[in-house]
C-alpha cells in the first residue's frame, strides 16, 4: 500500500505533533510515525512530552500527553521549534498546544470529543471550532475520529469501548496519507506485538490505520499531500534508537570490550527507569541487574560489585544523585570504578520530573564533601549515549574512579536514526587486575594514569583492606597530615590526567572568529542548527559541544581566546559558564532557559545574532 | 554460608593482621575478634575467599584487623556493599560486621532488605546498646530511661529488639551469642557459616567506657547460670544451675517452672529452630530479664529458601542455556534498514 507520488508537494522537512489524553496512546502513535519515517529514509528527531501523572483525570489540561517529531530530507538535529501539523484528540489537547501552531498550520481535531463536558474540562466556554476567526486561522480538518473508527471496525469482535480506543491509529493512518508515509512498519509492529496474543486487536488496529489512510484519499480537504525525500546519509545499516536504549547497549558493549561482567543496580526513578528495565531484559548477555531498596543501596551494591571485579553501573536522576553523594565519596577515596548515570530532569527536589533540564552539572562536579574531583561527561544526542557509555566505562576502569555520565530527559526519551556500529570496530578497554605473583601495594600507581592496581577478592596472596578512612600508599589507615595532603593531591592529579586521553576537540566552523558558542548535553541539536543557519548566512560564528566536562579538554583554553565573544547556552542558570569563567578567567555570555523545554533553534539564532551584530 | 572446599591447614595466626588493634582496653570487641579468627580457619574455606565488610562504628573497624579481603564502608550501608560483593562473586564467603547503631538505626532499612533477600552472608551485629565511637549517646537498643550525654533526663525511645527485627524481616537464620563466651561464639559462628542463606547473629558486647556491664545482669559470671538459657535443638528448654528450671507454654505465653528432683519435664517446650511457624521463635525473642532467662543460641534456622544470588545467577544461566547473546544482533535489532551508497 505504498502511496503514489503524483499529487505531492515536495518539502525539505516537516514537524508533526500528536496530542491527546495520557491514555490516548499519543506516545505510541508518535513512535510509529517515527519508525515509518525512518523506514522512508528520512532523518528524524523526536520529543515525547508527557505529564508526571500516569493518568491524570481524562480530558483535563493536566493529562495532556504529546509527541512531536521532525523528519526531513536534510540533516535533522532537533524535533522542530513549532509544528507544521497538530493532531488534537480532545479540547484539552487543543488548548494546551494551539499556541504553538503557527497561522496556516494544519490542525486535525477529533470533533467527537468536542462535547460540552470535555470543553468545560479544558476551560472552554464554547467550542473554539465555532469561532470563525479560529477556523480561518488554520488549515482545519475536522474528523469524527471516534465514530469513524467504530464504523471501520463494525465487523470486529472487540468490545465497543475497545474499538473506540483504536482511534489513535485511525488518526495516525490519516497523517500517513498526508505525509505519504509507508504503512508497512506499523502493520508489522501490530503483528509482532499482538499478532499471537491478541489477534483481534492486531486486526482492529490494522483496519483502523488503513481506514484512516483511505479516508485521506477520499477527502477533499486533505488534498495537500507532502513528500519528504530520503535524507542524504552515509551508506550503512541503520535503526532508530532512543537515548536510554543506546545507553543500555553502550554499557553492555563497554563491559564486553573490557572483558568484565556487567552489574547494574538501580532504584526506579523517572526518567532513568528504562535503563534498569532495558538491562534487566539482557540476561542472555550475562547482565546482573539488582533493583535496590533505595538509591543509596544501589550505589552501595555497585561499589561492592566493583570491589569484586565487575564493571558496575548505576543510573538515576537528580534527587537520586543527592542520595548517592556519600557513597560516591567512598568510591573516590577507595578508587573503585563505577559508572554513575544521571538522566537529568527539572529540579530542585521533585521539581519537574517529566521535563528536561541541565541543572545537575554543578552537583555532579562538586556535591561531595572533601576535595573529591571526578570525571564528568555528557551525552549530546540519543545515539551519542552509546559512545558515551563506552567512554565512561573506559575512564572508570582505566583510572580506577567513579565517573558521572550526564544524560537528560530530552536525550533519554528522544530518538533518531543510528548507523549501527560494527562490533569488531569498537574500542578495546584493556585493564588487567593485579598479578597474584607480585606483592600488592594497594595504592601504588601507574606512572601514566596514576591509577592504582585493582586486586579482586578470591586471589590468594592479594588479601587487603580498603575503606573510607584515609590510607597511605601501602593500604594502611593513616592519620598523618602530610600523607592526607599527598593523597588528596594524587587523587586530583589522577583525574586531571584523564584529559590527556581525549581526542582533539572538534569545532563546527572556523577555529577563530567573532562568536564561539559552547554547549554540552542535549542542546547539541538546537545549537548546531542555529550555528549552521548563521554560517550559511555568512556570519562569523562557530560552535563547540563539550563531551568532557571534567577535566575539561586541554585544547579548550586557546580556542576560547581565538574568538571575540563566547556564549554558553544552557538549560539552567549558567552552570557551565560559571565553570569556564572560574577556570579560564574569561568573559562568557550566558544564555539560559529553565522552562522544562529544549531550546528552539529560532530563539538561539536570534540570541546569537544579537551578539554578532553588537560591537 | 556453605562455601566449603578441601581441608585447609589454616590457623588463627593466618587471620591476624600486623595493624595495631585500636579498641579501648577491655572492649568486648577483642573477644569477638578472637572468636572470629578462631572460627575462620576451621571452616574449610581458603583464606582468599573471605571478605569482611563493615559499616561505621567501633565494631566496623573489624576488617582492618582481619588478614582477609576487607571493606570498611560508610555508616549503615554495609549490607548494600556486601550484597554487591556476593552477587558479583557468589563463591566468596562474605562476613558483615555491624553494630546496634549502624545496623538498626541508620542502616536498618538495608539490613531488613538483606535479611529478606536471603543472600548467603553472615551478619554479626555487635550490640552494646550505646554509640561508642561518637562517645556515648544512646542507641536504638538502649533501654527506655537510659541516661546518656544526649539524654540527660533519660531516653524516651522504645528500643528495637534485634531478634524480633530479624524475625520480622523473615531472616532464615537468627542466633544470639555473647562476647563473654568464646566457645559459644565459635559454635554459633560456625553454624552461621553452615547455613545457606543470610545468618543473623546478635552478639552481646560490652562497651567498657560508655556502657560498662550493660549485660552483666544476664551474662555476668555470678548470675549467668540462672539468667541464661542455652538453646539446643531437640532438647527441652531448661536453665538454672544444672537445669533446675524449665520453660513451658501457658496459653499463648511462656511460663517458667521449677524442676524438682525427678519432676516431669514432658510438658517443657522442646527447642525446634526449624519450626516454620515464627510464633515459637517470637516467644523466645521476647524473653527478657528479669521475667525470663535470656536465650542464647540459634532461635531460628529455616532451610530451603533459595538465596538471592543463586536466583540471580540461575536466571542468567537459564537465559544463556542456548548460548550467550550476540552484541551485533542486539545493536541491529529487528527494524534496521540499509542505506545504499
Amino acid at each position: 500500500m505504498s502511496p503514489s507520488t503524483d499529487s505531492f508537494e515536495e518539502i525539505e522537512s516537516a514537524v508533526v505533533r500528536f496530542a491527546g489524553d495520557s491514555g490516548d496512546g499519543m506516545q505510541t502513535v508518535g513512535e510509529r510515525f517515527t519508525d515509518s519515517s525512518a523506514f522512508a529514509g528520512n532523518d528524524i528527531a523526536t520529543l515525547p512530552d508527557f505529564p508526571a501523572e500516569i493518568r491524570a483525570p481524562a480530558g483535563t489540561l493536566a493529562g495532556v500527553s504529546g509527541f512531536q517529531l521532525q523528519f526531513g530530507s536534510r540533516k535533522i538535529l532537533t524535533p522542530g521549534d513549532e509544528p507544521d501539523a497538530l493532531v488534537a484528540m480532545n479540547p484539552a489537547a487543543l488548548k494546551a498546544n494551539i499556541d504553538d501552531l503557527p497561522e496556516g498550520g494544519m490542525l486535525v481535531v477529533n470533533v467527537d470529543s468536542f462535547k460540552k463536558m470535555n470543553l468545560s474540562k479544558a476551560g472552554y466556554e464554547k467550542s473554539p471550532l465555532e469561532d470563525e476567526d479560529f477556523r480561518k486561522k488554520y488549515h482545519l480538518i475536522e474528523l469524527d475520529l471516534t465514530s469513524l473508527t467504530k464504523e471501520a471496525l463494525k465487523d470486529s469482535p472487540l468490545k465497543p469501548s475497545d474499538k473506540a480506543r483504536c482511534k489513535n491509529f485511525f488518526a495516525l493512518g490519516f497523517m500517513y496519507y498526508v505525509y505519504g508515509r509507508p504503512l508497512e512498519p506499523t502493520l508489522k509492529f501490530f503483528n509482532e506485538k499482538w499478532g499471537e496474543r491478541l489477534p483481534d486487536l492486531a486486526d482492529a488496529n490494522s483496519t483502523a490505520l488503513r481506514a484512516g489512510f483511505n479516508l485521506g484519499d477520499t477527502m477533499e480537504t486533505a488534498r495537500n499531500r507532502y513528500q519528504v525525500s530520503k535524507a542524504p546519509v552515509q551508506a550503512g545499516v541503520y535503526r532508530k534508537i532512543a537515548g536510554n536504549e543506546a545507553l543500555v547497549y553502550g554499557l553492555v558493549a563497554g563491559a564486553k570490550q573490557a572483558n568484565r561482567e556487567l552489574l547494574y543496580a538501580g532504584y526506579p526513578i523517572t526518567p532513568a527507569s528504562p535503563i534498569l528495565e532495558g538491562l534487566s531484559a539482557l540476561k542472555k548477555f550475562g547482565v546482573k541487574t539488582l533493583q535496590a531498596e533505595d538509591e543509596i543501596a544501589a550505589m552501595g551494591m555497585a561499589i561492592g560489585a566493583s570491589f569484586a571485579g565487575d564493571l558496575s553501573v548505576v543510573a538515576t536522576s537528580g534527587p537520586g544523585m543527592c542520595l548517592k553523594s556519600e557513597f560516591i565519596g567512598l568510591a573516590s577515596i577507595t578508587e573503585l570504578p563505577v559508572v554513575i548515570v544521571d538522566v537529568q530532569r527539572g529540579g530542585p527536589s521533585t521539581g519537574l520530573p517529566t521535563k528536561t533540564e541541565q541543572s545537575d552539572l554543578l552537583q555532579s562536579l562538586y556535591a561531595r564533601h572533601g576535595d573529591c574531583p571526578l570525571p564528568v561527561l555528557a551525552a549530546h544526542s540519543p545515539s551519542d549515549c552509546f559512545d558515551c557509555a563506552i567512554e565512561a566505562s573506559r575512564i572508570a576502569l582505566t583510572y580506577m574512579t567513579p565517573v558521572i555520565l550526564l544524560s537528560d530527559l530530552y536525550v533519554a526519551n528522544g530518538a533518531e536514526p543510528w548507523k549501527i556500529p560494527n562490533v569488531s570496530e569498537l574500542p578495546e578497554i584493556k585493564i588487567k587486575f593485579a598479578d597474584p605473583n607480585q606483592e600488592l601495594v594497594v595504592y601504588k600507581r601507574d606512572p601514566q594514569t596514576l591509577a592504582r592496581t585493582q586486586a579482586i577478592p578470591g586471589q590468594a596472596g592479594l588479601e587487603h583492606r580498603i575503606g573510607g578512612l584515609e590510607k597511605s600508599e601501602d593500604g594502611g589507615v593513616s592519620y598523618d597530615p602530610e600523607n592526607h595532603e599527598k593523597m588528596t593531591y594524587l587523587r586530583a592529579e589522577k583525574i586531571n590526567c584523564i584529559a590527556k586521553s581525549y581526542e582533539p576537540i572538534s569545532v563546527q566552523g572556523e577555529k577563530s572568529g567573532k562568536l564561539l558558542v559552547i554547549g554540552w548535553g542535549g542542546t547539541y541539536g538546537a545549537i548546531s542548527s542555529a550555528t549552521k543557519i548563521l554560517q550559511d548566512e555568512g556570519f562569523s560564528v562557530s560552535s563547540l559541544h563539550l563531551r568532557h566536562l571534567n577535566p575539561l579538554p586541554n585544547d579548550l583554553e586557546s580556542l576560547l581566546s581565538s574568538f571575540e565573544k563566547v556564549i554558553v547556552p544552557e538549560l539552567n542558570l549558567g552552570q557551565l559558564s560559571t565553570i569556564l569563567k572560574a577556570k579560564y578567567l574569561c568573559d562568557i555570555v550566558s544564555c539560559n532557559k529553565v522552562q522544562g523545554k529544549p531550546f528552539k533553534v529560532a530563539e538561539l539564532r536570534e540570541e546569537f545574532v544579537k551578539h554578532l551584530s553588537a560591537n | 554460608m556453605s562455601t566449603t572446599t578441601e581441608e585447609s591447614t589454616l590457623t588463627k595466626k593466618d587471620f591476624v593482621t600486623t595493624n595495631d588493634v585500636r579498641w579501648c582496653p577491655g572492649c568486648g570487641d577483642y573477644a569477638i575478634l578472637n572468636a572470629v579468627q578462631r572460627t575462620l580457619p576451621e571452616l574449610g574455606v581458603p583464606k582468599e575467599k573471605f571478605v569482611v565488610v563493615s559499616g561505621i562504628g567501633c565494631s566496623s573497624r573489624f576488617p582492618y584487623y582481619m588478614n582477609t579481603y576487607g571493606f570498611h564502608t560508610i555508616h549503615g550501608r554495609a549490607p548494600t556493599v556486601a550484597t554487591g560483593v556476593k552477587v558479583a562473586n557468589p563463591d566468596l564467603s562474605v562476613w558483615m560486621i555491624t553494630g546496634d547503631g549502624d545496623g538498626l538505626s541508620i542502616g536498618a532499612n538495608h539490613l531488613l532488605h538483606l535479611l529478606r533477600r536471603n543472600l548467603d552472608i553472615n551478619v554479626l551485629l555487635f550490640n552494646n546498646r550505646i554509640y561508642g565511637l561518637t562517645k556515648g549517646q544512646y542507641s536504638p537498643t538502649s533501654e527506655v530511661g537510659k541516661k546518656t550525654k544526649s539524654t540527660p533526663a533519660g531516653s524516651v525511645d522504645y528500643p528495637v529488639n534485634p531478634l524480633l527485627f530479624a524475625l520480622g524481616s523473615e531472616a532464615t537464620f537468627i542466633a544470639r551469642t555473647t562476647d563473654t563466651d568464646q566457645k559459644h561464639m565459635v559454635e554459633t559462628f560456625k553454624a552461621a557459616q553452615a547455613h545457606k542463606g543470610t545468618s543473623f547473629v546478635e552478639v552481646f558486647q560490652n562497651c567498657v567506657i560508655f556502657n560498662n556491664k550493660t549485660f552483666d545482669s544476664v551474662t555476668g559470671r555470678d548470675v549467668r547460670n540462672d539468667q541464661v538459657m542455652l538453646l539446643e535443638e531437640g532438647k527441652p528448654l531448661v536453665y538454672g544451675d544444672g537445669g533446675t528450671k524449665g520453660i513451658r507454654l501457658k496459653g499463648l505465653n511462656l511460663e517458667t517452672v521449677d524442676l524438682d528432683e525427678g519432676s516431669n519435664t514432658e510438658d517443657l517446650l522442646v527447642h525446634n529452630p526449624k519450626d516454620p511457624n515464627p510464633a515459637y521463635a517470637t516467644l523466645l525473642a521476647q524473653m527478657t530479664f528479669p521475667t525470663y532467662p535470656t536465650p542464647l543460641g540459634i532461635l531460628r534456622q529455616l532451610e530451603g529458601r533459595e538465596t538471592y544470588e543463586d536466583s540471580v545467577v540461575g536466571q542468567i544461566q537459564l537465559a544463556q542455556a542456548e548460548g550467550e547473546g550476540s552484541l551485533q544482533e542486539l545493536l541491529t535489532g529487528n527494524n534496521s534498514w540499509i542505506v545504499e551508497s
Side-chain angles (χ1 to χ4, degrees):
Chain A
M1 198 185 274
S2 284
S4 60
T5 54
D6 47 6
S7 59
F8 285 98
E9 177 190 344
E10 175 82 25
I11 53 174
E12 194 183 45
S13 63
V15 179
V16 176
R17 185 186 296 179
F18 294 92
D21 249 345
S22 46
D24 273 345
M26 293 297 97
Q27 303 305 317
T28 310
V29 296
E31 281 169 21
R32 303 282 60 83
F33 199 110
T34 308
D35 274 355
S36 182
S37 299
F39 187 81
N42 300 138
D43 199 4
I44 38 176
T46 72
L47 176 64
D49 182 25
F50 43 84
E53 293 76 21
I54 301 298
R55 297 275 166 95
T60 63
L61 289 169
V64 175
S65 171
F67 190 106
Q68 180 168 312
L69 79 158
Q70 177 166 216
F71 53 102
S73 58
R74 57 173 167 85
K75 184 81 191 144
I76 297 296
L77 293 168
T78 75
D81 287 359
E82 53 195 18
D84 298 306
L86 169 66
V87 179
M89 301 297 281
N90 65 12
L94 180 71
K95 184 149 193 182
N97 290 280
I98 193 65
D99 288 349
D100 294 337
L101 188 68
E103 203 166 334
M106 178 186 287
L107 174 62
V108 179
V109 292
N110 176 21
V111 287
D112 277 338
S113 73
F114 278 62
K115 307 244 168 69
K116 200 172 172 200
M117 169 99 86
N118 285 337
L119 287 163
S120 132
K121 277 187 199 164
Y124 283 120
E125 281 178 21
K126 62 173 209 156
S127 172
L129 305 179
E130 291 166 19
D131 177 347
E132 270 314 304
D133 290 344
F134 183 94
R135 298 183 69 87
K136 277 187 207 147
K137 192 172 172 189
Y138 305 106
H139 172 201
L140 180 64
I141 299 175
E142 295 171 280
L143 301 179
D144 304 312
L145 276 176
T146 315
S147 35
L148 284 166
T149 305
K150 281 186 180 166
E151 173 62 22
L153 298 179
K154 62 178 188 293
D155 297 332
S156 163
L158 291 187
K159 286 189 295 185
S161 60
D162 287 344
K163 287 180 186 174
R165 293 189 57 189
C166 298
K167 64 181 180 297
N168 58 334
F169 289 117
F170 191 104
L172 181 66
F174 182 79
M175 295 311 287
Y176 278 1
Y177 176 81
V178 172
Y179 286 103
R181 309 282 89 187
L183 303 187
E184 289 83 354
T186 309
L187 296 171
K188 186 177 163 212
F189 167 83
F190 292 151
N191 194 39
E192 280 170 7
K193 183 155 177 142
W194 294 299
E196 279 187 23
R197 206 162 40 91
L198 299 164
D200 291 342
L201 185 62
D203 285 348
N205 281 330
S206 303
T207 305
L209 184 80
R210 287 197 178 97
F213 189 94
N214 293 339
L215 177 75
D217 211 9
T218 56
M219 247 179 94
E220 195 61 32
T221 48
R223 276 299 150 83
N224 294 344
R225 294 187 75 191
Y226 303 100
Q227 171 159 300
V228 180
S229 299
K230 289 183 179 186
V233 290
Q234 218 186 338
V237 185
Y238 283 76
R239 63 172 288 172
K240 182 195 74 166
I241 194 126
N244 276 340
E245 196 178 18
L247 195 66
V248 163
Y249 296 162
L251 293 169
V252 175
K256 181 173 184 291
Q257 295 309 96
N259 200 22
R260 298 279 173 100
E261 288 189 22
L262 180 62
L263 183 141
Y264 176 91
Y267 185 75
I269 185 169
T270 303
S273 301
I275 300 171
L276 168 64
E277 294 160 5
L279 284 167
S280 297
L282 298 181
K283 303 201 192 303
K284 218 172 160 47
F285 293 83
V287 182
K288 293 174 222 168
T289 51
L290 315 183
Q291 184 170 318
E293 58 271 26
D294 59 32
E295 292 281 359
I296 301 173
M299 190 65 205
M301 289 169 178
I303 289 175
S306 174
F307 179 55
D310 281 0
L311 172 61
S312 65
V313 180
V314 295
T316 184
S317 189
M321 284 296 281
C322 297
L323 288 165
K324 293 184 193 303
S325 284
E326 188 188 4
F327 251 139
I328 298 175
L330 180 73
S332 165
I333 198 167
T334 53
E335 304 190 39
L336 285 173
V338 184
V339 175
I340 301 158
V341 180
D342 175 1
V343 187
Q344 300 164 97
R345 64 189 215 191
S349 190
T350 310
L352 300 176
T354 61
K355 307 292 170 197
T356 201
E357 209 164 275
Q358 295 185 294
S359 47
D360 292 351
L361 176 59
L362 292 180
Q363 179 188 22
S364 301
L365 290 169
Y366 298 120
R368 289 166 293 281
H369 79 121
D371 285 295
C372 185
L374 291 184
V376 178
L377 54 159
H380 70 243
S381 73
S383 64
D384 190 47
C385 289
F386 180 81
D387 298 331
C388 283
I390 297 177
E391 173 69 350
S393 307
R394 176 191 76 84
I395 294 174
L397 295 167
T398 309
Y399 295 89
M400 289 291 287
T401 178
V403 173
I404 297 175
L405 168 55
L406 293 170
S407 175
D408 59 52
L409 190 140
Y410 172 76
V411 165
N413 290 346
E416 64 179 354
W418 180 43
K419 185 166 181 281
I420 300 162
N422 190 332
V423 169
S424 63
E425 290 164 14
L426 295 176
E428 258 194 90
I429 305 170
K430 283 184 183 164
I431 306 299
K432 286 186 185 147
F433 293 122
D435 181 353
N437 297 314
Q438 287 182 4
E439 197 194 345
L440 177 72
V441 180
V442 183
Y443 289 94
K444 192 175 167 193
R445 291 168 193 282
D446 177 284
Q448 299 300 315
T449 61
L450 296 183
R452 75 176 180 95
T453 316
Q454 188 175 6
I456 54 168
Q459 300 247 282
L462 298 177
E463 291 86 353
H464 67 286
R465 276 66 56 195
I466 58 172
L469 286 168
E470 185 65 278
K471 303 291 187 299
S472 54
E473 191 184 40
D474 64 7
V477 174
S478 169
Y479 299 104
D480 175 42
E482 284 177 8
N483 176 70
H484 174 56
E485 187 167 77
K486 182 181 147 200
M487 293 299 269
T488 303
Y489 271 113
L490 273 170
R491 285 188 291 266
E493 191 47 39
K494 177 179 80 169
I495 302 305
N496 283 336
C497 272
I498 299 169
K500 286 189 276 187
S501 69
Y502 299 163
E503 299 282 316
I505 52 180
S506 157
V507 180
Q508 180 187 341
E510 300 296 324
K511 291 196 169 173
S512 65
K514 196 158 186 184
L515 183 67
L516 175 66
V517 187
I518 302 183
W520 66 278
T523 53
Y524 168 74
I527 291 175
S528 281
S529 302
T531 305
K532 173 80 169 48
I533 292 168
L534 290 171
Q535 285 169 342
D536 290 348
E537 289 170 8
F539 286 98
S540 171
V541 55
S542 300
S543 69
L544 168 68
H545 218 73
L546 290 172
R547 168 179 283 180
H548 298 99
L549 298 160
N550 196 56
L552 287 162
N554 290 331
D555 43 359
L556 176 59
E557 186 164 19
S558 64
L559 188 73
L560 288 174
S561 55
S562 307
F563 286 84
E564 289 172 33
K565 207 174 238 186
V566 179
I567 184 165
V568 179
E570 294 178 86
L571 300 176
N572 59 45
L573 294 185
Q575 300 197 4
L576 178 63
S577 66
T578 301
I579 299 299
L580 296 178
K581 280 187 265 194
K583 187 167 163 78
Y584 301 110
L585 298 176
C586 59
D587 202 12
I588 302 268
V589 179
S590 290
C591 165
N592 311 110
K593 178 174 178 178
V594 279
Q595 300 170 6
K597 292 179 180 174
F599 281 118
K600 289 181 178 181
V601 176
E603 67 193 3
L604 284 182
R605 184 190 169 278
E606 195 179 329
E607 183 68 19
F608 299 166
V609 165
K610 211 165 75 188
H611 294 285
L612 284 161
S613 314
N615 285 315
Chain B
M1 295 292 310
S2 61
T3 320
T4 49
T5 55
E6 59 205 283
E7 194 87 11
S8 74
T9 54
L10 295 168
T11 65
K12 183 193 160 190
K13 265 193 209 157
D14 292 302
F15 291 93
V16 177
T17 59
T18 52
N19 294 334
D20 294 337
V21 182
R22 295 194 184 182
W23 288 310
C24 309
C27 176
D29 289 356
Y30 285 97
I32 307 173
L33 177 63
N34 187 52
V36 172
Q37 287 174 336
R38 284 174 54 197
T39 305
L40 266 46
E42 296 185 25
L43 301 177
V45 177
K47 193 177 83 153
E48 65 271 17
K49 301 265 184 187
F50 288 109
V51 181
V52 183
V53 180
S54 67
I56 292 292
C58 293
S59 58
S60 287
R61 295 299 173 92
F62 207 90
Y64 292 127
Y65 309 137
M66 291 291 299
N67 190 7
T68 61
Y69 286 94
F71 202 156
H72 178 219
T73 73
I74 57 174
H75 204 14
R77 320 295 175 199
T80 69
V81 175
T83 297
V85 170
K86 188 67 183 177
V87 176
N89 186 355
D91 199 27
L92 299 170
S93 172
V94 180
W95 292 69
M96 196 198 104
I97 311 294
T98 184
D100 40 317
D102 189 64
L104 293 171
S105 193
I106 189 168
N109 181 38
H110 305 304
L111 188 55
L112 166 102
H113 294 283
L114 174 66
L115 297 178
R116 77 172 169 90
R117 290 187 183 118
N118 198 38
L119 283 105
D120 195 8
I121 289 173
N122 304 312
V123 178
L124 310 186
L125 184 141
F126 299 9
N127 182 8
N128 59 11
R129 298 180 174 165
I130 198 78
Y131 282 97
L133 200 60
T134 50
K135 301 189 178 175
Q137 300 81 17
Y138 79 105
S139 91
T141 56
S142 297
E143 58 278 18
V144 173
K146 179 95 181 164
K147 288 194 176 176
T148 69
K149 285 180 185 166
S150 60
T151 51
S155 159
V156 297
D157 280 28
Y158 188 79
V160 183
N161 176 328
L163 302 179
L164 283 176
F165 175 87
L167 272 165
S169 310
E170 298 198 51
T172 54
F173 180 101
I174 301 169
R176 181 195 271 156
T177 185
T178 171
D179 63 359
T180 54
D181 190 338
Q182 279 291 315
K183 187 164 161 276
H184 193 262
M185 277 195 285
V186 172
E187 275 171 15
T188 309
F189 299 159
K190 279 187 187 172
Q193 167 75 12
H195 174 69
K196 174 102 175 153
T198 311
S199 304
F200 176 82
V201 182
E202 178 191 15
V203 188
F204 285 165
Q205 178 245 320
N206 191 46
C207 172
V208 69
I209 304 294
F210 297 107
N211 202 18
N212 199 15
K213 300 185 177 173
T214 181
F215 296 107
D216 266 19
S217 54
V218 174
T219 58
R221 272 177 202 286
D222 46 340
V223 295
R224 69 182 174 204
N225 277 346
D226 282 332
Q227 296 300 340
V228 166
M229 179 173 71
L230 291 172
L231 301 170
E232 289 180 78
E233 187 174 354
K235 301 262 176 75
L237 298 184
V238 292
Y239 66 106
D241 216 356
T244 55
K245 294 173 194 165
I247 299 288
R248 69 182 175 201
L249 205 56
K250 186 184 181 191
L252 288 176
N253 293 301
L254 298 177
E255 73 171 355
T256 59
V257 284
D258 285 325
L259 305 173
D260 301 329
E261 189 86 23
S263 69
N264 187 5
T265 58
E266 273 177 15
D267 59 346
L268 295 183
L269 281 169
V270 174
H271 184 50
N272 177 18
K274 299 193 171 97
D275 188 345
N277 183 341
Y280 167 66
T282 306
L283 288 171
L284 291 181
Q286 286 175 311
M287 294 175 73
T288 48
F289 177 83
T291 315
Y292 295 106
T294 299
L296 294 183
I298 303 163
L299 280 79
R300 188 163 168 80
Q301 185 174 7
L302 290 186
E303 276 152 22
R305 197 195 308 167
E306 196 171 22
T307 65
Y308 181 83
E309 66 275 16
D310 282 356
S311 303
V312 170
V313 171
Q315 287 190 346
I316 289 172
Q317 283 170 344
L318 187 66
Q320 293 186 328
E322 285 165 26
E324 289 182 26
S326 147
L327 181 59
Q328 191 66 59
E329 281 175 24
L330 177 71
L331 301 188
T332 305
N334 297 325
N335 287 301
S336 59
W337 65 92
I338 296 168
V339 174
E340 311 281 355
S341 50

